[in-house]
Amino acid sequence: MEVPFPYEGIDKGRPACKQTPITSPDMDNMRLYDTLDNRARGGQRPGQDKKFAQQISGSANPILAICSVVVMD
Amino acid sequence: MAIVYENYVTGDDNWARIVTSSWYGQSFRPVTSHTVTYLRLKIGKDGTPPADMTVELYLADGAGKPTGSRLAFGTVTDGDISAGTGGEWHSIALDTGVALTAGSDYVFYCKTTSGGAGQAFVLRYDQSGATYTVGDWTWTTTSGSSWTVSSGADAVFSEWGTGAASTPVDKTYTKMLVAIAGNEFWYESSAGTMTRFTAVGPDDLDAAVPLTMVEAFQKVFVANGSNLWVADFSNVKIATTDLNTHAPDPGTILTGGSSGAVMVVEYITSTTADAACTIYGKRTTDATFTSGETVTGKDGVNNDGNDITFAISANEVAGPFWYVWTVFGQDATFGTMPPYATIVSLYRGRVTLAGNKYEPHMWYQFRVSDPFDLQTESTDAKAAVAGNDARLGKIGDVVTATVPIDRDNWLIGSTGEMWLFTGDGAEGANLDRISKTTGMFGTYAHCIDDEGNVYFWGTNGLYTFSLPGGTPRCISRIRLPNIVKDGVGGTAVTQSSHRIVMAHDSRRKGILVFITTLADGTNANYFYDLTTKAFFPESYPDECGVFSAFYYDATDPDYRVLILGGNDGYLRFFDDSAVDDDAGDSGDTAINSYVALGPIALSQDPGKEGTFTGLDFVSAGGASGGSQSDSSDVGYSVFAAPSAEEVIEKLSANTGPNFAGTFTAPGRRHGSRRAQKISAVSFGVRLFNSTAAETWGFEKLFGDILPSGRFK
């Protein structure tokens, strides 16, 4: 008996006895494509990493809005 | 072909007589290495010079005085120059091209062998308030035995030459990221570095009031309640204490009388005659506006109206600038700003506003390409437009979001309805209600994928629709019927306590839904995989709770990612090489990842049990250290129960497994099979890893089942 990775993600809406093998009743921090080799086999999600070293506002305040602006040289 | 390098070409207000022992010139410092081939000087004559004048080029010492051997020279004869001390520009070709080094100092001077008053060439210069900053007026009265440097004066000059073969340049713009946190506005001052915009005052923004911003016309427009601001990255600024009779109009061309600088006016702070005014516009010349000069132009649509003339009170100032967003000149001719707005967007070249708490059902669209004109009584096709989302005779619902889908469709979300605005407001647009059963949760609760499908958070969870003609349908209803009620940690999602941010991750082909508690950053999130139309729940450290998200199409590919605005003020992204979450000041935090598999029936006959005899697992990675990336070890827990739902309960509670252990990774190992006999109707397996600095991948899970007896 082979149990596949639930590539159709989480499903909490069906009768318990009708849970399909390609869905999961409970999962967290998993994605279909793994981060190891980007294969569609199931794996831990990518981590969040800083992209800019600076802390906006210099203290722990939520970043309320982000956009970009293009300026002609 | 020669091009100009160092130059200082305006402001000459005096002249110096070149005679036997009195020689005059100028030091300069090239910014770019090049070969100088000729100089242009403003030369006149006081009478008739008895001898030629030579212009000689030297290296300059640390004091700006000539040093070493002459590098090159050129000659000016009497017949080259017209009479009079007013001078004329004249090119002096050097006898040889001289390679100049960027950052090094050089000096040229004019000399002759005879002459005096009424018999001399003259060299024009700026005697007072000269502004060439990397050189000075240099002169001798002792035929070069000693030199004097006058730091407040400069010759008017330009030096011309040829540089290295030019490399083609295709990029003519700079793209910067902008972010707001606390009450501060930060921007990417250099690639990869965010800097606080210090022009923003401590009370200019209020983080306790809803805030949005949008890029338009090389500026950023901020809507933060009664705080409406412009961050202007494109214009220059000039100021006057007295506009005189007529004020410039949008698009007026102003010319500096002395400098020759030219600007196209975009915004001014006042149209009141004889009052002070600050003018922002795009300068189209290299020459800059200088203090005291008279600026002239004509107002009117085609610059063919009244004469404009005023003196400017200071040198031109370069941006960026931060100023209150008002209509042009704060003049009612250009309409009236709403007193309060929290939702700003850009649609069909029009900046739009909504979220006016005094008229919450209203939306406003500025004139096309003019974010300072909200005059809705104009009748031309580009005029500003305002309206509301209501059936005829009705008041309308509270607008919660505006979403420009494409150039022809603008989505207006309200608390309980969805409206689609199509076309241009001044040219027969349509406003149709596309849903009366769901509204849009909030300003950031929407995104669009790369096929133009719209996703948003509505009454019952996640919705989507496509244009043309589509209507919103809830796609979370079947798989996650309690997604709203479950919210974050069992607390139902509400606008007063949660922020929902949505984003499309084009690289990973998915929609991200971030549900974050406003008070503390606790969160519940979903990655909706567009490949399989599947929901994958995610949770992040509180510090990493997402309050904003933006796909940054940076010019540097290293920064071309989906940027996440965190609860703790850091800008993050999903990094495939990151196996933990960087929780900022709290350090790296392990990702607790798990998947529950099952419930799996142990018998095809629901009245019978089966016997589970063993479990084996293959993790990602093949052999350790091989060509495929290696998974870390994976923990497992097996739960068995008489019913499927009881298995689900046990999987969720994750306590008291029938048996548990760890599969050694990567790949499959000898002896990896876990033998264990369990008789039950149904079973489930939980695979997990919560260890710091680890990640894992699923390759295969399989087990052995034997038939058993009837369930009793």
Side-chain angles (χ1 to χ4, degrees), chain B residues 420-443:
Chain B
L420 188 65
F421 185 105
T422 54
D424 190 279
E427 282 288 292
N430 290 321
L431 181 60
D432 299 306
R433 186 170 62 183
I434 60 172
S435 175
K436 57 182 179 181
T437 58
T438 181
M440 190 178 296
F441 181 90
T443 312

Side-chain angles (χ1 to χ4, degrees), chain A residues 1 3 8 10 12 24 28-29 31 41-42 44-45 48-49 51 55-56 63-64 67 69-71 73, chain B residues 172 174 176 178 180 215 479 535 537-539 548 558 568-569 571 573 581-582 593 596 698-699 701 703:
Chain A
M1 173 201 68
V3 182
E8 288 198 0
I10 195 166
K12 293 186 172 183
S24 168
D28 196 19
N29 293 323
R31 291 190 186 180
R41 57 186 171 188
Q44 181 175 289
R45 65 163 173 85
Q48 283 198 32
D49 222 350
K51 197 56 180 173
Q55 185 180 36
I56 307 302
I63 297 177
L64 303 175
C67 74
V69 60
V70 175
V71 182
D73 291 338
Chain B
T172 59
T174 299
M176 297 178 284
V178 172
I180 292 179
E215 173 202 8
R479 296 277 171 89
F535 288 91
E538 300 184 350
S539 56
S548 52
D558 285 345
D568 62 351
L571 294 161
F573 72 114
D581 289 322
D582 179 348
S593 58
F698 182 112
E699 186 66 24
L701 177 74

Side-chain angles (χ1 to χ4, degrees), chain B residues 219-233:
Chain B
K219 304 170 188 59
V220 175
F221 294 85
V222 180
N224 177 223
S226 55
N227 308 310
L228 302 174
W229 291 92
V230 180
D232 186 341
F233 292 90

Side-chain angles (χ1 to χ4, degrees), chain B residues 194-213:
Chain B
M194 298 295 287
T195 303
R196 183 184 169 203
F197 191 10
T198 55
V200 179
D203 298 321
D204 289 352
L205 297 172
D206 185 351
V209 174
L211 180 152
T212 57
M213 61 181 177

